[in-house]
């Protein structure tokens, strides 16, 4: 299976990439690591006339600190994010979640920003970014740059706040140094997309949860932040019974899909079980 | 056509390719390196695994143009990365442990296993099984493959790729 023919450019700078986007508009498609795009092109579910490869733009790669935030370049691979000591120290939830993406070969090519921009609701990068309140830095035409909160970034199925002539360049993650973290992913076979997964970061002191961040994968058309559960967990002892009670309503208001892996009610049940496990593990239980 | 320059199994290669050409096609059809196999053609099975700048990737799931400027090692050049004999220690371990039946998954399985020991020279059985998650074998049930990786790890040589 071979993609339909397309023209191709691998610009060296974000500015050149943006100029190509402006020139080709709807006919152009951005390729980052290509781990989601190439299967789509090969099955000819999409046939762009022009492909813009971001692989030569070095400044989009890497992780750095900027005050209270970690800045992850959009083209940093999942492997690089999973093995980065700064991410492990300040945003362990992201380290743990990206380590579950697909398989090792795909993580060596696939990028953190590419997966976020692709916005597959069963993907594993959206929920941890949402849980930690990440901000998305988006470059536009004429040198414009804007920053979008995680809450506004995920719009719908495979749809984000990134405009047609814009590029996601960086993801800024507020540091959660010292927080416990866990990504509880439920799959039935190897290298599967999440049937449901739960991202949890917990700040616990003396056996009591002082703050919690919880977000859900594949419980709707976008990753979902479970704010009611976060509030219910605040001040609770980090015990299985207390957490079970606090997370009981985690699936309220969600709209999970029904497919061959399970129906919506099954996913709502899974969300409860996985949230309890994720929070308990993140709290050190 | 787009001009690409890369190193494949230690040799510099320069060519003009259609942008839509997959890396695995380039290796097989342009360079004749048919040791790298196309299995599922959907990026699941890992038979097409090669090393790109030292790390395992699925060559059916990237474009040849994306490999411009990179160093690619295939199963055909693996032994040359190790100066101890005709076979790389991982190849020798697969041979010794009979870690194959039909052999179709073997090139990809070996390339991923070498990368796995590069990341983790002393993996547990569970870590080996999870580390080979992206490579499917439909014959062996994986037991001898896991033994081969353990054998190569014990020999302490598997990471030298």
């Amino acid at each position: 299976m071979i993609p339909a023919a397309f023209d191709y450019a691998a610009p060296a700078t974000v500015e050149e990439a943006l100029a190509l986007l402006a020139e080709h508009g709807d006919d152009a498609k951005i390729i980052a690591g290509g781990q989601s795009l190439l299967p789509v092109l090969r099955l000819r579910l999409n046939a762009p006339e022009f492909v813009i490869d971001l692989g030569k733009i070095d400044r989009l790669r890497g992780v750095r600190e900027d005050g209270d935030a970690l800045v992850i370049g959009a083209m940093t691979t999942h492997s690089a994010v999973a093995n980065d000591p700064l991410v492990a120290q300040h945003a362990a939830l992201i380290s743990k979640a990206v380590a579950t993406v697909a398989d090792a070969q795909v993580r060596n090519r696939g990028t953190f920003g590419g997966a976020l921009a692709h916005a597959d609701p069963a993907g594993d990068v959206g929920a941890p970014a949402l849980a930690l309140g990440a901000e998305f830095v988006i470059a536009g035409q004429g040198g414009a740059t804007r920053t979008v909160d995680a809450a506004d970034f995920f719009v719908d199925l495979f749809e984000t706040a990134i405009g047609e002539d814009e590029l996601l360049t960086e993801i800024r993650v507020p540091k959660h140094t010292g927080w416990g973290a866990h990504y509880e992913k439920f799959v039935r076979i190897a290298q599967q997309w999440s049937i449901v997964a739960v991202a949890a970061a917990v700040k616990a002191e003396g056996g009591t949860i002082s703050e919690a961040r919880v977000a859900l994968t594949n419980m709707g058309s976008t990753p979902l932040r479970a704010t009611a559960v976060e509030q219910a967990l605040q001040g609770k002892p980090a015990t299985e019974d207390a957490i079970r009670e606090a997370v009981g309503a985690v699936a309220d208001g969600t709209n999970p899909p029904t497919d061959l892996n399970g129906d919506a009610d099954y996913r709502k049940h899974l969300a409860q079980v996985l949230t309890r496990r994720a929070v308990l593990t993140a709290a050190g239980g | 056509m787009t001009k690409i320059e890369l190193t494949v199994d230690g040799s510099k290669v320069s060519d003009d390719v259609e942008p839509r050409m997959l890396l695995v096609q380039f290796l097989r059809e342009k360079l004749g390196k048919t040791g790298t196999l196309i299995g599922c053609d959907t990026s699941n099975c890992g038979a097409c695994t090669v090393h790109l700048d030292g790390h395992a990737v699925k060559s059916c799931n990237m474009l040849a143009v994306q490999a411009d400027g990179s160093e690619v090692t295939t199963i055909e050049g693996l032994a040359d990365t190790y100066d101890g004999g005709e076979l790389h220690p991982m190849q020798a371990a697969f041979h010794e442990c009979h870690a194959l039946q039909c052999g179709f998954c073997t090139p990809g399985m070996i390339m991923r296993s070498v990368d796995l020991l590069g990341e983790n020279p002393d993996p547990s059985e569970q870590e080996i099984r999870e580390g080979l998650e992206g490579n499917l074998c439909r014959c062996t049930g994986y037991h001898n493959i896991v033994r081969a990786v353990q054998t190569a790890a014990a020999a302490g040589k598997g990471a030298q790729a």
Side-chain angles (χ1 to χ4, degrees):
Chain A
M1 290 183 290
I2 297 163
F6 52 77
D7 289 324
Y8 168 89
T13 65
V14 169
E15 292 69 29
E16 289 170 61
L18 286 165
L20 286 167
L21 262 184
E23 185 186 340
H24 294 279
D26 253 2
D27 299 331
K29 192 80 194 156
I30 297 282
I31 190 165
Q35 299 302 288
S36 295
L37 182 62
L38 273 167
V40 167
L41 297 188
R42 292 166 58 196
L43 293 167
R44 304 210 180 183
L45 299 173
N46 195 341
E49 287 176 17
F50 202 95
V51 170
I52 303 167
D53 182 356
L54 303 185
K56 303 266 191 208
I57 308 178
D58 290 337
R59 85 162 175 90
L60 294 181
R61 247 182 239 112
V63 178
R64 62 185 166 87
E65 286 182 277
D66 184 11
D68 294 334
L70 273 188
V71 183
I72 303 175
M75 286 292 289
T76 313
T77 63
H78 297 303
S79 296
V81 172
N83 294 320
D84 190 277
L86 285 173
V87 180
Q89 187 182 352
H90 301 297
L93 181 57
I94 288 178
S95 311
K96 294 187 176 183
V98 296
T100 73
V101 172
D103 58 52
Q105 290 98 313
V106 170
R107 291 193 293 273
N108 281 339
R109 284 294 299 165
T111 67
F112 189 61
L116 287 163
H118 183 55
D120 189 319
D124 298 304
V125 292
L130 180 63
L132 297 186
E135 295 178 326
F136 295 77
V137 181
I138 297 171
Q141 299 296 320
T145 299
R146 64 191 181 103
T147 300
V148 175
D149 288 340
D152 300 319
F153 181 77
F154 300 102
V155 175
D156 205 343
L157 206 67
F158 301 109
E159 191 183 339
T160 70
I162 306 169
E164 269 177 20
D165 58 354
E166 293 182 316
L167 276 181
L168 175 64
T169 57
E170 290 176 345
I171 299 91
R172 298 176 62 88
V173 184
K175 285 183 185 171
H176 285 68
T177 319
W179 288 53
H182 190 67
Y183 188 69
E184 185 77 20
K185 172 171 173 171
F186 188 80
V187 291
R188 296 186 59 238
I189 57 172
Q191 51 175 289
Q192 194 181 17
W193 296 93
S194 283
I195 296 173
V196 174
V198 177
V202 174
K203 195 173 179 185
E205 285 155 8
T208 300
I209 295 172
S210 56
E211 281 183 85
R213 305 264 184 275
V214 178
L216 315 176
T217 299
N218 211 15
M219 287 297 289
S221 59
T222 66
L224 299 174
R225 180 98 178 251
T227 39
V229 165
E230 292 176 0
Q231 283 160 14
L233 284 165
Q234 209 169 331
K236 294 286 185 324
T239 61
E240 184 157 5
D241 286 344
I243 291 169
R244 185 195 311 271
E245 195 186 326
V247 308
V250 69
D252 288 5
T254 63
N255 187 20
T258 289
D259 59 25
L260 285 175
N261 288 309
D263 61 19
D265 284 342
Y266 174 64
R267 282 189 161 86
K268 288 185 174 186
H269 170 73
L270 271 181
Q272 269 188 46
V273 174
L274 302 180
T275 304
R276 167 165 52 81
R277 289 181 190 163
V279 172
L280 191 62
T281 307
Chain B
M1 294 294 227
T2 301
K3 188 177 177 60
I4 57 170
E5 290 181 20
L6 63 163
T7 304
V8 180
D9 292 337
S11 301
K12 293 240 186 272
V13 178
S14 173
D15 205 348
D16 290 306
V17 297
E18 260 197 287
R20 64 171 167 168
M21 176 171 261
L22 304 171
L23 178 60
V24 71
Q25 276 181 285
F26 178 72
L27 294 171
R28 291 174 56 87
E29 296 169 17
K30 292 277 214 164
L31 303 183
K33 290 189 177 282
T34 50
T36 300
L37 300 179
I38 299 171
C40 67
D41 218 7
T42 57
S43 86
N44 284 292
C45 82
C48 65
T49 299
V50 299
H51 291 180
L52 182 79
D53 295 326
H55 291 289
V57 301
K58 292 180 173 176
S59 64
C60 83
N61 207 32
M62 69 179 284
L63 301 167
V65 288
Q66 290 180 291
D68 180 42
S70 299
E71 192 163 319
V72 175
T73 304
T74 76
I75 188 72
E76 298 186 34
L78 180 65
D80 293 337
T81 65
Y82 168 77
D83 58 9
E86 276 182 34
L87 294 180
H88 184 280
M90 189 64 73
Q91 291 173 305
F94 269 65
H95 183 212
E96 275 168 39
C97 299
H98 192 56
L100 57 136
Q101 286 180 31
C102 88
F104 203 89
C105 72
T106 311
M109 202 63 87
I110 288 176
M111 295 310 284
R112 171 56 198 146
S113 296
V114 171
D115 188 31
L116 170 63
L117 291 194
E119 295 162 6
N120 179 1
D122 187 25
S124 66
E125 180 185 335
Q126 185 66 21
E127 285 169 336
I128 293 171
R129 290 184 184 277
E130 286 175 5
L132 296 177
E133 176 179 20
N135 294 77
L136 304 182
C137 173
R138 302 290 79 167
C139 304
T140 65
Y142 300 97
H143 291 310
N144 284 0
I145 293 171
V146 173
R147 278 185 204 121
V149 179
Q150 288 170 322
T151 300
K157 293 169 181 167
Q160 294 180 13

